[in-house]
Amino acid sequence: MPDGTLKAQTADRVRTVAAMLEEEIVLGWLLPRERLVEEELAERLGVKRHVVREALAELERVGLVERIPNRGAVVRLLEPEEVRQIYSVREALETLAAEQIPLPVAPEVLAPLRALQQRHAEAVAAGDARGAFRANIRFHETLFRACGNPHLVELIQGLAQKVHGARSITAASPGHLALARDEHAAMVEALAGGDRGRLVALCRQHLGPSRDAYIAAVEARFVRPGGTA
Amino acid sequence: MPDGTLKAQTADRVRTVAAMLEEEIVLGWLLPRERLVEEELAERLGVKRHVVREALAELERVGLVERIPNRGAVVRLLEPEEVRQIYSVREALETLAAEQIPLPVAPEVLAPLRALQQRHAEAVAAGDARGAFRANIRFHETLFRACGNPHLVELIQGLAQKVHGARSITAASPGHLALARDEHAAMVEALAGGDRGRLVALCRQHLGPSRDAYIAAVEARFVRPGGTA
DNA sequence: GTCGACTGAATTGTTGACAATCTTGTCAAC
DNA sequence: GTTGACAAGATTGTCAACAATTCAGTCGAC
């Protein structure tokens, strides 16, 4: 077996398609309530319908799309209350992880973290929303992985993914991206300096802006007099 | 549409099959490393192979089975280290939830909880491991749901499910079942009495026995000199 | 006697076609 | 002008056959 990972198994393709759709949702190319037709996506992304089907099922499980039997899938619109609840759990988990990171942090954590921080900063400077999104994800993954508990990391990532649909407001906003960039720099500093209190506080602060921006946007745009959605 | 939930969609059947297999794993009918052949399961459970396939994929995501490409699925054997990590996160999350339950607890929470506690006690008395397992799950779900954050509850349930494969030791043991029964009673008491400190302590204690029993069993039975598994 | 290659059986992975279901547009009746 | 039924189109849900892969046992060479 000389290829190894070379051959693209179905499972890998499903993950790839799910990731592509996720990005399109996060970056606001696919808007809430927009229909996701299996056959159309299959053709556009160059895969079989079965692959798209599984990818949509995955995104439904994660909470990014909504699937109605015999009717198809649409990009899900997150309720403000739901977003608040998710962020409150995120805060607890990320705090927990930050408290368990051994300090002073190991160089093999710090070095890649600095590299990712820089990549994020470059993407922000270039106005590359997609690059910033990807670097941002990897930055946080690397950071929290340092806590030593992969299951905790998995939960944190899952929750972050759940609210990806609520990030199209901030994911492309230069102001928010610049703020995130600066906060990342501060986190790295706190890690390097062994200042746990600051690190934990930064992690907590870091969550606020995107949550508040989304809630404000939804309540301004979607709430109709007398209605709940 | 006069039937509503009457018609059995594929998604429902997948969930059902997954739940059946999960129970068989928890109760020790299916042992670690035991093969799970799609066609055989499809015939035994009276569904199409495609349904079994998706159910196995679901159980793989959850962490109860392991699937190797072109080779099939087997019941997964959890590493002691992994079990420790999962239980440590469970402890944190369940503590968090217990701390957020409004006290004194609402009657519409307490009443069903007492009913489930009794059902569990009856199953234990009757030596009905499956009944005890089901009542136990619903008891904890009802308890933690009272914290008001469905996403936190979902995480707690997911983690509990992840270690279901590690529960075949305690799920059928009269001693452990009796202990769980008594602890449930104490939890209800603490809830009714508004004693949050006791409730939190009980939730934490409650996790210990099954974790320790599993780790002890695995390390006694499966560790070979010089090997890691 | 041991090692390596080969063949056959078992199992999963993939595909395309068909059936069931829902939505939209049209038209007639009130 | 509005409402209801009806038909056509679009979309998902289901299935069974076929292809690809892996494993176990056997046979032959050294």
Side-chain angles (χ1 to χ4, degrees):
Chain A
M1 51 197 88
D3 47 3
T5 63
L6 238 169
K7 92 179 101 175
Q9 298 272 354
T10 298
D12 297 327
R13 276 178 284 194
V14 168
R15 268 189 290 277
T16 304
V17 169
M20 290 171 91
L21 292 175
E22 190 179 332
E23 272 196 3
E24 297 192 1
I25 291 172
V26 173
L27 299 178
W29 301 359
L30 293 173
L31 295 174
R33 298 286 171 208
E34 186 161 347
R35 293 196 62 186
L36 301 172
V37 178
E38 292 181 357
E39 200 161 359
E40 173 195 316
L41 292 174
E43 190 179 6
R44 179 155 71 86
L45 302 177
V47 295
K48 297 292 173 190
R49 189 159 73 98
H50 191 247
V51 176
V52 174
R53 186 183 204 62
E54 280 192 52
L56 288 176
E58 165 109 12
L59 292 178
E60 182 191 29
R61 225 166 16 74
V62 169
L64 283 178
V65 313
E66 196 174 351
R67 256 154 73 92
I68 306 165
N70 294 314
R71 290 230 293 149
V74 295
V75 179
R76 182 150 167 233
L77 174 65
L78 291 162
E79 302 289 337
E81 179 59 20
E82 203 175 358
V83 172
R84 277 194 204 94
Q85 291 175 337
I86 294 174
Y87 270 92
S88 97
V89 183
R90 280 189 78 180
E91 197 174 302
L93 287 184
E94 298 195 2
T95 299
L96 182 66
E99 278 166 354
Q100 293 184 351
I101 296 175
L103 289 185
V105 72
E108 57 264 32
V109 170
L110 196 57
L113 210 54
R114 284 209 155 108
L116 287 167
Q117 174 206 345
Q118 188 176 349
R119 189 187 300 180
H120 180 261
E122 286 166 2
V124 171
D128 174 13
R130 176 188 292 197
F133 170 67
R134 289 179 178 170
N136 181 62
I137 283 191
R138 296 197 52 198
F139 177 86
H140 290 284
E141 178 183 347
T142 306
L143 170 65
F144 290 120
R145 195 179 290 280
C147 81
N149 190 330
H151 293 277
L152 179 52
V153 177
E154 191 184 312
L155 256 47
I156 289 174
Q157 288 180 312
L159 282 176
Q161 203 177 18
K162 268 195 180 176
V163 286
H164 273 172
R167 295 193 49 196
S168 49
I169 285 103
T170 53
S173 148
H176 283 101
L177 286 174
L179 178 59
R181 177 199 57 201
D182 296 342
E183 287 176 340
H184 289 177
M187 287 177 189
V188 171
E189 250 182 66
L191 267 177
D195 186 346
R196 185 179 303 282
R198 181 134 182 268
L199 175 65
V200 171
L202 282 167
C203 286
R204 189 168 294 153
Q205 275 177 41
H206 195 54
L207 292 171
S210 60
R211 175 195 56 202
D212 297 338
Y214 177 75
I215 291 175
V218 171
E219 292 190 335
R221 283 177 52 199
F222 291 100
V223 170
R224 285 161 182 77
T228 58
Chain B
M1 52 196 87
D3 46 4
T5 64
L6 240 170
K7 90 178 102 174
Q9 297 270 354
T10 298
D12 297 328
R13 274 177 285 192
V14 168
R15 267 189 291 275
T16 304
V17 169
M20 291 171 91
L21 291 175
E22 189 178 332
E23 272 195 5
E24 296 192 2
I25 292 172
V26 173
L27 300 177
W29 301 359
L30 294 173
L31 296 175
R33 297 287 171 207
E34 186 160 348
R35 293 197 61 186
L36 302 172
V37 178
E38 293 181 357
E39 201 163 0
E40 173 195 317
L41 292 174
E43 190 178 9
R44 178 155 72 83
L45 301 177
V47 295
K48 297 295 172 188
R49 188 158 75 98
H50 191 249
V51 176
V52 174
R53 184 182 204 63
E54 279 192 52
L56 289 176
E58 166 106 16
L59 292 178
E60 183 191 28
R61 277 193 291 270
V62 170
L64 283 178
V65 313
E66 196 173 350
R67 257 153 72 92
I68 305 166
N70 293 313
R71 290 228 298 152
V74 297
V75 179
R76 180 148 168 237
L77 174 65
L78 291 162
E79 301 290 338
E81 179 57 21
E82 204 176 355
V83 172
R84 277 194 204 92
Q85 290 175 339
I86 294 174
Y87 270 92
S88 96
V89 183
R90 280 189 77 180
E91 198 174 301
L93 287 184
E94 298 194 3
T95 298
L96 182 65
E99 278 166 354
Q100 292 185 353
I101 296 175
L103 290 183
V105 72
E108 58 266 31
V109 171
L110 196 58
L113 210 55
R114 283 208 154 108
L116 287 167
Q117 173 206 348
Q118 188 177 348
R119 189 187 299 180
H120 180 261
E122 286 166 2
V124 171
D128 173 13
R130 176 189 291 200
F133 170 67
R134 290 179 177 171
N136 182 61
I137 283 191
R138 296 198 50 198
F139 177 85
H140 289 283
E141 179 182 347
T142 305
L143 170 64
F144 289 120
R145 195 180 290 282
C147 81
N149 191 331
H151 294 277
L152 180 52
V153 177
E154 191 184 312
L155 257 47
I156 289 174
Q157 289 181 312
L159 282 176
Q161 200 178 19
K162 268 194 178 175
V163 286
H164 273 173
R167 295 193 49 194
S168 49
I169 285 103
T170 52
S173 148
H176 282 101
L177 286 174
L179 178 59
R181 177 199 58 203
D182 296 343
E183 287 176 341
H184 288 178
M187 285 178 192
V188 171
E189 250 182 65
L191 267 177
D195 187 346
R196 185 178 304 281
R198 180 135 183 267
L199 174 66
V200 171
L202 282 167
C203 286
R204 190 169 293 154
Q205 274 177 43
H206 194 56
L207 291 172
S210 60
R211 175 195 56 200
D212 298 337
Y214 177 76
I215 292 176
V218 171
E219 291 190 337
R221 282 177 53 198
F222 291 100
V223 170
R224 285 160 182 76
T228 58

